[in-house]
């Protein structure tokens, strides 16, 4: 792992010269629009970076974008990797380790998720305050490299409290409906049954999705503070479950995108 990391970082440092990103951003569903706000200095294809996994969904479209967002130097991952695509947990999270090695001090993550909480409606945003991991494996399984982090990392506060509060405050001042809640990570790619949505609600989930948690575990392993936000694209309410409709989900995410972009960019500029 360390050797692979070193190769990727050396390659990227040659490309970006003295550009030192302070903030890493994983552009999940609902945050693609943030790229338009970045003054791009370097854009590097995943496929050209040694040891980087290439997305099966968007072959060739995965890119690392280096630039300035509201005065902050950022590196954004355009194109995220999911466990359901067939990668190992270590492959999915390798880019997060690379970003940390490039010097980022904060990680921002977005995703699309299904609401489990009857008060959280389709189109609302939810800042993640905690999570429940129902994915089958930890990205930290296997030999631990103590240069990267401890064998038994603490997870008592995986999402930075001050950023959660600041994010909620920004949402309030912008009149954006934004909740705080618990994200449950499942493997996918199939959606949940009614019985499963009911179960996820009973165990304490407010939203369910297929990403984010592996990246957050690895960030915590390395002591990297995290902020994560979901756009609630559908309602997993067992009493009135509608068949999953990808087009509708993407349309809902697109409507919420400017709200998400506004919160994230203000939060990043306030760091
Ligand atoms: N379940 C799992 N993942 C999702 C959902 C959902 O309802 N909506 C968006 N991603």
């Amino acid at each position: 792992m360390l050797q692979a990391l070193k190769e990727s970082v050396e390659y990227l440092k040659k490309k970006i010269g003295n550009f030192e990103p302070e903030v890493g951003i994983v552009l999940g569903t609902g945050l693609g629009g943030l790229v338009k706000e970045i003054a791009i200095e370097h854009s590097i294809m995943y496929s050209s970076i040694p040891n980087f996994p290439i997305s099966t969904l968007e072959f060739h479209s995965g890119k690392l974008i280096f630039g300035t967002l509201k005065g902050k130097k950022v590196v954004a991952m355009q194109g995220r990797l999911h466990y359901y695509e067939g990668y190992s947990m270590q492959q999915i999270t390798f880019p997060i380790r690379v970003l940390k090695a490039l010097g980022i001090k904060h990680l921002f993550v977005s995703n699309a998720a299904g609401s489990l909480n009857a008060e959280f409606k389709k189109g609302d945003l939810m800042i993640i305050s905690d999570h429940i991991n129902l994915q089958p494996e930890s990205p930290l399984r296997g030999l631990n490299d103590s240069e990267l982090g401890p064998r038994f990392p603490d997870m008592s506060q995986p999402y930075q409290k001050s950023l959660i509060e600041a994010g909620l405050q920004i949402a309030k001042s912008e009149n954006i409906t934004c909740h705080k809640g618990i994200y449950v990570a499942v493997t996918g790619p199939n959606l949940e049954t009614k019985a499963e949505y009911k179960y996820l609600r009973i165990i304490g989930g407010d939203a369910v999705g297929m990403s984010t948690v592996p990246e957050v575990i690895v960030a915590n392993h390395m002591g990297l503070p995290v902020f994560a936000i979901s756009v609630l694209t559908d309602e997993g309410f067992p009493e009135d479950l509608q068949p999953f409709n990808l087009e509708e989900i993407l349309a809902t995410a697109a409507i919420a995108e400017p709200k998400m972009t506004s919160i994230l960019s203000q939060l990043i500029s306030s760091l």
Side-chain angles (χ1 to χ4, degrees):
M1 164 84 85
L2 278 182
Q3 186 52 34
L5 256 178
K6 207 167 144 225
E7 280 171 21
S8 310
V9 170
E10 269 173 17
Y11 172 86
L12 287 168
K13 281 197 167 160
K14 255 189 240 144
K15 292 270 175 192
I16 63 176
N18 60 3
F19 185 93
E20 288 181 12
E22 302 159 59
V23 175
I25 309 168
V26 180
L27 299 168
T29 311
L31 236 128
L34 195 67
V35 172
K36 290 186 214 106
E37 306 216 354
I38 301 176
I40 299 176
E41 294 196 24
H42 307 277
S43 172
I44 302 171
M45 310 271 278
Y46 292 171
S47 55
S48 75
I49 308 169
N51 311 312
F52 242 61
I54 301 164
S55 172
T56 58
L57 292 181
E58 309 138 284
F59 185 72
H60 274 329
S61 81
K63 280 187 220 129
L64 273 189
I65 293 171
F66 295 85
T68 308
L69 173 69
K70 298 228 167 158
K72 289 278 185 299
K73 288 191 172 158
V74 303
V75 51
M77 283 182 66
Q78 192 177 40
R80 88 125 55 81
L81 307 148
H82 302 86
Y83 187 68
Y84 63 70
E85 292 175 75
Y87 302 109
S88 70
M89 285 290 180
Q90 284 78 9
Q91 283 176 303
I92 292 173
T93 52
F94 183 75
I96 307 298
R97 297 210 181 272
V98 171
L99 300 195
K100 172 71 165 58
L102 288 173
I104 64 165
K105 304 286 185 287
H106 292 91
L107 182 69
F108 290 79
V109 185
S110 78
N111 62 51
S115 174
L116 300 168
N117 183 325
E119 319 238 306
F120 297 4
K121 303 295 184 200
K122 189 168 100 167
D124 292 354
L125 301 180
M126 186 189 93
I127 294 176
I128 303 178
S129 58
D130 204 347
H131 70 231
I132 296 173
N133 187 13
L134 294 186
Q135 294 193 346
E137 208 196 305
S138 165
L140 306 181
R141 194 173 82 88
L143 281 180
N144 185 59
D145 209 316
S146 57
E147 277 188 47
L148 296 174
R151 172 75 290 187
F152 301 110
D154 174 59
M155 291 293 278
S156 59
Q157 186 68 58
Y159 302 86
Q160 198 175 48
K161 235 176 165 166
S162 57
L163 289 176
I164 296 171
E165 296 312 319
L168 289 170
Q169 207 53 46
I170 293 167
K172 200 169 163 201
S173 69
E174 299 278 317
N175 270 327
I176 295 170
T177 308
C178 183
H179 312 282
K180 175 170 89 166
I182 295 169
Y183 176 90
V184 187
V186 294
T187 309
N190 55 288
L191 276 294
E192 288 68 42
T193 64
K194 283 180 195 146
E196 286 165 343
Y197 279 121
K198 191 171 170 191
Y199 160 75
L200 296 173
R201 189 186 264 183
I202 290 168
I203 64 170
D206 293 303
V208 54
M210 305 172 191
S211 67
T212 302
V213 166
E215 292 101 315
V216 171
I217 291 174
V218 162
N220 274 272
H221 182 236
M222 299 184 294
L224 185 60
V226 176
F227 175 86
I229 184 165
S230 300
V231 48
L232 304 175
T233 50
D234 55 291
E235 296 174 347
F237 303 158
E239 55 280 6
D240 182 29
L241 189 64
Q242 305 300 313
F244 186 80
N245 178 331
L246 184 60
E247 264 128 54
E248 227 179 285
I249 299 290
L250 295 176
T252 306
I255 292 168
E257 187 174 279
K259 299 190 274 181
M260 196 114 134
T261 302
S262 166
I263 294 177
L264 256 287
S265 58
Q266 286 188 57
L267 199 51
I268 289 170
S269 80
S270 76
L271 288 174

